Amino acid sequence: MWRRARPRQAPTAAQITTDATANAPEVKIRSFRIGFIGALGVLLALVLGGIVAQLGTVILYVALALFLALGLDPVVSWLQRRMPRWAAILIVFAVVIGIFVGLIAAIVPIVVSQTKFIVENWDDIVQNVLNSDFVAWLNQLGGGDHAIDDAIASAGDWLADPANLGTLGGGILAVGAGIAGGFTGATIVLILTLYFLASLDSMKRYSVKFVPASSRGKYREVTEEITGSVGRYVIGQFSLGAVNGVLSLIFLTIIGAPAPILLAFIAFLLSLVPLVGTLTGAVIISLVCLAASPLTALVAAIYYLVYMQVEAYVLSPRIMNRAVAVPGALVVIAAVAGGTLGGVLGALVAIPVAASLIIIVEKVVFPRQDTH
């Protein structure tokens, strides 16, 4: 008897899943291999981080030499219009070395003589401080219990002990090693600066080859603007530091401050750190002037208050008008971060780095965002 064929039923979702699972190739998870490769990656990252940490000082020297070369390049380019580039580099470098040697020759004898004077007359210095009007005023504020006198006398006795002084300074060997390291670092920076000055143009041409041909024009434009702006920034900051140093030397000599040449050098060095350097130098110099008299310290403090206003509203706008305008908050953050990582040199390098990042953001990032 003929039967009607039953219609074929469509497979259910469960059947499809079961068939697909049965026919799918077996996937093996090699957990040991994945874990081993991951461990190797972490180990490599730790090794690279340790290498960078060990080379931190060298990287700082290279960055400082590069920024010094960018700062001296406008002067070399100006002289290059009248003579070959190698002659211009030699003249500029000879002037830089002459200034460096002159500063060392002027400062080292002062430090040595002042150190000798302090060691030989330490008891008299402590007594003069105890008998000063400033200490008497502090004692009156404290109720007249002479706690300030006792604290100063105890500090003087502690510092008079050579063993304590060696502990405070890390020992004679540590101090000597620090001085030797400073001279070595300065020599390395000078040599690298000379090399970067001689090969700055070739370095720019070689770096262009790493950029695709379609973007090389924009890359050259941004690179030239960064190098030019950083160079003007470095020159402007050194000019502000030189003005502060020269005026400080004249004023501190007039008011009879102790070691005016050394204090003027401190003012020049700290003025290289924007926004916070001049204030820091003013505080240090005013405190040192207390060794002469409270009146000398007060006069120095008033002078630096006036000078900071003149620098902020007259000198800085005129000298830095062609450099990159770095916001004040970014200057503070960069100076603190650079100082934490590399001391004074790190703070000096951090500001031009911030200026370069601002140029990159304004010339590359913002235009790219505007086209989307």
Side-chain angles (χ1 to χ4, degrees), residues 286-301:
S286 300
L287 291 177
V288 173
C289 288
L290 283 173
S293 68
L295 180 61
T296 304
L298 179 62
V299 173

Side-chain angles (χ1 to χ4, degrees), residues 34 81 84 117 143 145 243 279 283 294 303 314 335 340 342 348 359 371:
I34 295 175
R81 303 171 188 171
F117 176 80
D145 55 357
V243 171
L279 177 61
V283 172
Y303 162 76
V314 179
T340 303
L348 297 181
I359 293 177
T371 57

Side-chain angles (χ1 to χ4, degrees), residues 52-64 181 185 188-189 341-342 345:
V52 172
Q54 293 293 328
L55 297 178
T57 304
V58 178
I59 295 173
L60 184 63
Y61 288 161
V62 172
L64 180 60
I188 293 174
V189 170
L341 296 175
L345 297 181

Side-chain angles (χ1 to χ4, degrees), residues 159-174:
L159 291 175
D161 189 351
N164 295 332
L165 191 60
T167 303
L168 182 63
I172 297 176
L173 292 178

Side-chain angles (χ1 to χ4, degrees), residues 82-123:
R82 298 164 176 80
M83 61 184 70
R85 184 173 178 83
W86 64 267
I89 292 175
L90 288 180
I91 292 175
V92 172
F93 204 68
V95 172
V96 172
I97 293 179
I99 295 174
F100 177 76
V101 173
L103 289 175
I104 296 299
I107 291 171
V108 170
I110 295 175
V111 174
V112 173
S113 62
Q114 291 296 319
T115 303
K116 182 180 178 181
F117 176 80
I118 291 174
V119 171
E120 294 177 350
N121 301 275
W122 179 252
D123 294 335

Side-chain angles (χ1 to χ4, degrees), residues 260-353:
I261 297 179
L262 180 60
L263 295 181
F265 177 74
I266 293 175
F268 162 74
L269 186 63
L270 292 179
S271 292
L272 300 180
V273 181
L275 195 63
V276 295
T278 304
L279 177 61
T280 304
V283 172
I284 293 175
I285 293 173
S286 300
L287 291 177
V288 173
C289 288
L290 283 173
S293 68
L295 180 61
T296 304
L298 179 62
V299 173
I302 295 174
Y303 162 76
Y304 280 107
L305 285 176
V306 175
Y307 172 78
M308 283 188 289
Q309 304 304 313
V310 175
E311 181 185 82
Y313 295 102
V314 179
L315 298 177
S316 185
R318 293 179 180 274
I319 295 176
M320 306 293 288
N321 60 347
R322 297 186 60 194
V324 178
V326 182
L330 186 58
V331 168
V332 175
I333 294 172
V336 172
T340 303
L341 296 175
V344 177
L345 297 181
L348 297 181
V349 172
I351 309 302
V353 169

Side-chain angles (χ1 to χ4, degrees), residues 38 70 80 133 138 157 203 288 353:
L70 292 176
Q80 192 177 354
D133 296 336
L138 291 178
D157 295 338
M203 290 169 60
V288 173
V353 169

